[in-house]
Amino acid sequence: MVSFVIDGKNVQAEGGAMLLNVARQNGIVIPTLCAHDTVARSGACRLCVVEVTKGKRTRIVTSCLYPVDEGIVVSTKTERVMNVRSLVMQLLMARCPESQLLKDMAKEMGIEPQPSFRVETDKGKCILCRLCVKTCEDVVGVSAIGLSRRGKDKIVGPPFMEDSVTCVGCGACAYVCPTDHIVMESTDGRRKIWGRAFRMKACDTCGRYFAPVDQLKWISKKTGTPLSELSVCLSCK
Ligand code: SF4
Ligand code: FES
């Protein structure tokens, strides 16, 4: 265990625990966009910055990636921290002017969108956090989507932005996306996502459509479970 100070409060935590988690456990709210419990942290959004003093050195760090250490002094709401968060937010809003989530978060943080931040490339609602990509890769194990193009033209989607052949239609990317950028529509036994339509399987017991057939085939192949044993939804199991 290590002892340190956060916003004037003495706290204890396991050495190496991530600062963001420890702050949350102690009721301290730090805004985040790209931290999700199911995938490894990437530090993509930079919204979770805080100020850390270690010895004689004070610096701004991303709290989701910073391991706590004995004797550090953490401040989560100094003027410097708020200025950096405000700048990050302005850049995100300029890049994703359609995102209501960003507008709401900015309002909560007391940040007004500044017209001086030019929109270079409208990304819709995508903040390029890669949560969807990592979920598809690490959790689902499919790797159907990724980042393509470079610099300001960077975009998330299937390779060459063509209809994905490997996607199984599970929708995990849409669930994890913090800004609702990924459009997934499920109607009449069909699910549409990433330019493809997937046939849904109806539960053998209750008749409710519960998963795309391709996803069930993928699970069957990956786990060795016969497809016939995957024909009932979780509620009816
Ligand atoms: S689509 Fe969503 S999850 Fe994927 S990179 Fe963009 S904002 Fe992040
Ligand atoms: S939550 Fe830490 S960088 Fe996004």
Side-chain angles (χ1 to χ4, degrees), residues 17-232:
M18 290 304 144
L19 181 48
L20 174 66
N21 299 352
V22 180
R24 283 176 172 171
Q25 283 154 13
N26 283 278
I28 292 164
V29 178
I30 297 173
T32 62
L33 276 167
C34 72
H36 200 280
D37 289 340
T38 54
V39 289
R41 304 271 165 89
S42 66
C45 78
R46 303 274 148 189
L47 206 57
C48 67
V49 289
V50 297
E51 209 169 50
V52 172
T53 303
K54 190 175 183 179
K56 287 182 183 163
R57 194 170 170 217
T58 299
R59 62 192 180 114
I60 293 281
V61 303
T62 43
S63 61
C64 68
L65 286 174
Y66 190 89
V68 296
D69 202 357
E70 182 70 34
I72 57 170
V73 177
V74 184
S75 306
T76 70
K77 292 177 185 64
T78 61
E79 197 181 341
R80 193 173 163 213
V81 167
M82 299 319 263
N83 284 342
V84 177
R85 277 188 205 154
S86 171
L87 181 66
V88 168
M89 207 46 162
Q90 296 289 358
L91 292 169
L92 288 174
M93 282 193 290
R95 197 195 279 162
C96 309
E98 291 167 31
S99 172
Q100 189 57 44
L101 174 90
L102 292 183
K103 285 180 196 156
D104 292 345
M105 280 181 88
K107 197 171 170 194
E108 218 167 280
M109 292 161 72
I111 299 166
E112 285 288 324
Q114 301 287 332
S116 53
F117 284 83
R118 242 178 356 105
V119 183
E120 287 197 0
T121 314
D122 185 347
K123 302 282 178 199
K125 297 180 193 165
C126 181
I127 58 164
L128 297 174
C129 68
R130 291 186 76 246
L131 266 182
C132 54
V133 176
K134 284 193 291 163
T135 300
C136 188
E137 216 169 86
D138 303 345
V139 182
V140 187
V142 172
S143 298
I145 51 175
L147 290 182
S148 31
R149 303 183 195 158
R150 285 169 184 232
K152 63 181 176 54
D153 295 324
K154 210 178 268 178
I155 191 169
V156 73
F160 310 110
M161 296 312 283
E162 290 173 357
D163 294 357
S164 171
V165 282
T166 45
C167 179
V168 294
C170 70
C173 54
Y175 291 120
V176 83
C177 175
T179 59
D180 291 333
H181 175 73
I182 301 169
V183 180
M184 180 172 78
E185 288 168 9
S186 300
T187 43
D188 302 330
R190 299 250 149 204
R191 172 178 289 173
K192 284 188 190 165
I193 188 165
W194 295 120
R196 275 186 60 197
F198 294 86
R199 190 163 56 87
M200 299 290 282
K201 167 82 180 115
C203 170
D204 281 356
T205 306
C206 69
R208 189 175 63 87
Y209 291 113
F210 68 99
V213 174
D214 282 8
Q215 182 188 1
L216 297 176
K217 284 183 184 163
W218 167 250
I219 294 171
S220 170
K221 189 175 151 197
K222 219 177 154 188
T223 62
T225 310
L227 203 53
S228 55
E229 287 180 24
L230 299 169
S231 57
V232 172

